[in-house]
Amino acid sequence: MRTLCSSTLIGEFFIIGFAGLVAMKDPDLSTTTVWLVSGIAMVLCVLLCGMVTRPGGVALGWALQLALVASGVFVPTMYFMGAVFAALWWASVHYGRKVDEAKARFAAQAASTSSPTTPDAA
């Protein structure tokens, strides 16, 4: 799960950066505000890469997805991009957990078939 979720978060890192560039063109938003909010979101993406498997990591990822969709208020394209990345986040979590379960199952099977048997002493 960690690899899939981290890949999604790194993609979001770049999308947030590009959205910040677009938001700078809005005369109602100050450059400082745009880069402060974008920078915090970008740092959060990187930090979440390491927190995905910890308790609350996936929930924080969902909060980031909601914030990404909500950023469409300032950059309308982000409604679409936020929805796309929310779907990618769902797929990363859903299929990542299935991959982790399969890996654990295969590791258990390999451990049970490769465990040495003790010969009976006569």
Side-chain angles (χ1 to χ4, degrees), residues 89-116:
W89 181 253
W90 174 85
S92 297
V93 171
H94 179 74
Y95 292 112
R97 285 183 176 154
K98 286 189 174 198
V99 167
D100 289 348
E101 290 169 3
K103 282 182 182 179
R105 191 172 49 245
F106 291 139
Q109 287 176 351
S112 67
T113 58
S114 66
S115 62

Side-chain angles (χ1 to χ4, degrees), residues 35-100:
W35 287 114
L36 181 65
V37 172
S38 296
I40 289 171
M42 292 168 78
V43 168
L44 184 59
C45 285
V46 173
L47 292 176
L48 275 174
C49 287
M51 294 177 52
V52 168
T53 56
R54 295 178 188 228
V58 173
L60 282 173
W62 278 115
L64 180 66
Q65 304 314 310
L66 291 175
L68 202 60
V69 172
S71 70
V73 170
F74 302 105
V75 180
T77 307
M78 291 307 290
Y79 285 125
F80 173 73
M81 293 305 296
V84 167
F85 274 96
L88 285 171
W89 181 253
W90 174 85
S92 297
V93 171
H94 179 74
Y95 292 112
R97 285 183 176 154
K98 286 189 174 198
V99 167
D100 289 348

Side-chain angles (χ1 to χ4, degrees), residues 6-64:
S6 294
S7 299
T8 301
L9 289 167
I10 294 301
E12 285 184 49
F13 173 89
F14 289 106
I15 292 300
I16 292 168
F18 292 136
L21 291 172
V22 172
M24 279 182 34
K25 295 185 181 208
D26 188 343
D28 296 333
L29 301 173
S30 72
T31 304
T32 305
T33 303
V34 168
W35 287 114
L36 181 65
V37 172
S38 296
I40 289 171
M42 292 168 78
V43 168
L44 184 59
C45 285
V46 173
L47 292 176
L48 275 174
C49 287
M51 294 177 52
V52 168
T53 56
R54 295 178 188 228
V58 173
L60 282 173
W62 278 115
L64 180 66

